[in-house]
Amino acid sequence: MSQLRTVQVLGGGAGSSAHVSSLAAGLVARGVQVTVCAPAGSCREHGLPATGARFVAVPRRSDPTAVAALRTACTGADIVHAHGLHAAVRAAIALSGRGIPLVVTWHTRAHADGARGRLLRLLERRAARAAAIVLGTSWELVDRARRRGARDARLAPAAIPASRFPDAPDDGKARAELGAVGRPLLVSVAQHGHETLLDAARGWRALDPVPLLAVAGEGPRAGALRRRIAAEGLPVVLAGGPEDIGGLLAAADIAVLSGRGEAGPLLAQEALRLGIPLVAARADGLPELVGDAAELVPYGDAEALSGAVVRLLGDPARREQLAGSGRERAAGWPTEDDTIAHVLSVYDELAQPLTAARG
């Protein structure tokens, strides 16, 4: 049997990037030829050189030049696997009329109202209907794909790489570098809806000692975050990119999620696996992911978010309970090997008819 050839199309989100790095390494180790198409700069940022996959820089756009580059990269592929909505739409356009099966993984959903919301729904329909199989990381996403016309939508939880978790973190050093010695350390990630997080941080200034909130995730929201932090004198620091989340969490007292986006479920998974108590907004399938192993509050409710954090800081027994519940829940999640084996079974299912036709 000839070597299976796959192309992974990546949009650049933190959760999907971590998943693709893990998936590419696992597939290469199992004899699959892997090409990763992603925006320039993603190669080193997400550890792709170490996976053994071929990397092709493709702009994060759907203009003719970007689509042509992706179409060329997909030539000769047996399976193309797109991760995220916009990557899926670009792949669907590039594969039009070529007969190459498209697998799409939805890691999270985009949120918008008005004209942009209507456009996103159109893109979701395009992506769902173009895919031979849609894999959703939560039942919420699976149901959404089915509503958008997916022929075949399945649950496929995505494990995150174990390499993101420090083996023996120096908690004291990390806290000292952040300025969190002798005060609680809260860790979050930049997301849509960060205004709620900063509103909550205003309430924490009344505590003694004042907790420090470290927010990971440099990106388009960093400028707005910095401006508001400086203007209001908030006890908040920006602390690196998404790749730094594991190290930050290892030093944290509480993880906090207020918004929406790919980085949220990723932080939630890492927090529970590390036994860090989590306070999170009910968004992006998080209730399904964490169950009763976290404190959940309504999305957009800064008062509820602030209150939940304050209560946890004053209740060591509850923090210990959540830490244990989180580790227990995380132990039941699929491993990287489980995730790779499941994806490979999907590829084999789609490749068999192609092999028979060629024979």
Side-chain angles (χ1 to χ4, degrees), residues 59-140:
R60 192 188 283 105
R61 302 191 305 268
S62 295
D63 61 30
T65 302
V67 171
L70 183 56
R71 187 175 178 86
T72 299
C74 292
T75 299
D78 296 304
I79 306 288
V80 174
H81 189 165
H83 301 264
L85 176 60
H86 295 286
V89 172
R90 289 197 300 275
I93 296 170
L95 296 178
S96 180
R98 303 187 74 174
I100 300 173
L102 173 63
V103 177
V104 171
T105 293
W106 284 5
H107 295 265
T108 188
R109 57 164 292 195
H111 299 270
D113 299 316
R116 178 162 172 75
R118 290 190 292 273
L119 174 61
L120 285 172
R121 288 190 288 275
L122 288 173
L123 294 177
E124 287 176 345
R125 281 197 288 273
R126 176 68 185 269
R129 293 174 182 180
I133 297 174
V134 177
L135 304 176
T137 57
S138 69
W139 279 116
E140 176 187 0

Side-chain angles (χ1 to χ4, degrees), residues 231-260:
E232 299 183 22
L234 298 175
V236 180
V237 295
L238 299 189
E243 69 278 4
D244 299 312
I245 292 174
L248 288 171
L249 280 172
D253 296 294
I254 296 174
V256 185
L257 281 172
S258 65
R260 295 167 170 161

